[in-house]
Amino acid sequence: MEEDLCMNNFKSAIRTCIIFLIVLTILSAAIMSAFFIGENYYYQDSRERAELSGTLDFFVCGASHAMRGFRPDILDQELGVNSYNLSCSRQTMQGRYELLNLELNRNPAKTVVLELSYDSMTRNRDEEGPEGDMYMLGKLGGFMPRIKYFFSAIRPKEYGRMYYNYIDNGVNCIKKIIHGTWTNKNTKLEKGYAAYKRDDDELNQDLKKIYHTRSFEETVYEPNVEYLNKIIALCKEKNVQLILVTTPLSKVTVCRYDNLDTFKEWYENVANENGLQYYDFNLIRDKEEKLPDSSAFSDKFHLGNKGAGTFTKMFTDVLNKEAAGEDTSALFYGSYSELESHMTLDK
């Protein structure tokens, strides 16, 4: 009799736990759906990309350097293309590959610009955590693509953080619904680009004091190389021109770090081995004149809206000259060492 009572109590507890988990799952899914079915965060743009599907022929893909650097309106005007900026903050090399694979399969793409910065090959996904992939899951459209990417990119130890993040996003979106500000289509991006400007005191530095006082990490994270090679192979398979680009950094950053030539040499080798063109716009000779820290940059690593416009025009000018058969190598310094020999350390 006592054993039967214990068994019944155990079964009742199990049923209660199962019911609780079912209710929690349904409630969590409902809260998260407020985030996933709308586009209320700056990186959510799947609807615009879907609407433009079949018409885009020029893509920019990278992390925040590219997201804040390339303006599609200027690319379209100066190059006569229909472009889209696929970039996003903390975007991993896997994320770049997955987005390009999606878009190259549904658009008549002719050109891809892949942004490569000082940390594109060294960012360690295992150590930095899932921030970039959180944005990526919000950027993707549809349940199945998100599920597929989730299980390919998210580590089991990160599931709790992912759950908390999307519950938090969902609650914020529910608040927007209540206040009538929720939207199902992104209104902040223009073909993947969002104007960006903020004041950063770190742009006001004594360059002589900070000169070559730091180094960037140089340990390569092998999955980044793997996905870079997959991007190169994808573009070759689709007969798409792939251009590698390093976007401009502030003069403060170029002065502070002493090993930028290391990354330039990496990407030059990749380009030479695969028959690609690589441009490092920190080395273009008129950068200091056209992109001064005081007006072109929002922080020490990223261009502001004005700077993005100027840089995009500089980029399209180089491409147009190349298309006309001109040799543009003389427009660039050959190395950071050469650049620094011509650089003044006065602000």
Side-chain angles (χ1 to χ4, degrees), residues 83-119:
S83 65
Y84 201 94
N85 192 333
L86 296 173
S87 310
C88 190
S89 296
R90 309 300 296 171
Q91 193 171 82
T92 64
M93 293 302 293
Q94 179 182 358
R96 300 179 206 196
Y97 169 76
E98 295 294 348
L99 277 176
L100 285 170
N101 190 41
L102 168 65
E103 298 301 343
L104 297 192
N105 278 310
R106 65 180 186 178
N107 285 284
K110 297 178 182 177
T111 305
V112 166
V113 175
L114 183 68
E115 174 265 325
L116 295 173
S117 67
Y118 55 86
D119 66 349

Side-chain angles (χ1 to χ4, degrees), residues 289-311:
E289 173 191 349
K290 292 185 175 179
L291 296 172
D293 285 9
S294 59
S295 61
F297 289 86
S298 283
D299 59 45
K300 57 186 181 291
F301 297 118
H302 302 98
L303 291 158
N305 190 47
K306 180 180 178 181
T310 303
F311 161 64

Side-chain angles (χ1 to χ4, degrees), residues 216-232:
F216 284 117
E217 173 64 53
E218 295 184 11
T219 304
V220 173
Y221 182 61
E222 286 304 321
N224 292 334
V225 179
E226 174 190 347
Y227 277 101
L228 173 59
N229 289 333
K230 291 180 74 169
I231 290 170
I232 293 171

Side-chain angles (χ1 to χ4, degrees), residues 3 7 16 18 20 30 44 54 91 96 100 172 175 181 189 204 262-263 280-281 303 319 346:
E3 285 185 9
M7 181 60 67
T16 301
I18 291 174
F20 172 78
Q44 294 180 286
Q91 193 171 82
R96 300 179 206 196
L100 285 170
N172 288 334
K175 291 178 182 177
T181 59
L189 294 179
N204 299 312
T262 298
F263 310 105
D280 186 337
F281 278 86
L303 291 158
L319 259 58
D346 298 320

Side-chain angles (χ1 to χ4, degrees), residues 117-118 212 216 218 249-250 253-266 278 280 282 336 339-340:
S117 67
Y118 55 86
H212 282 192
F216 284 117
E218 295 184 11
L249 298 166
S250 68
T253 298
V254 172
C255 285
R256 176 176 279 145
Y257 291 88
D258 63 4
N259 60 337
L260 289 169
D261 267 321
T262 298
F263 310 105
K264 174 184 178 294
E265 291 168 6
W266 287 0
Y278 168 64
D280 186 337
N282 288 302
Y336 282 88
L339 162 66
E340 289 164 3

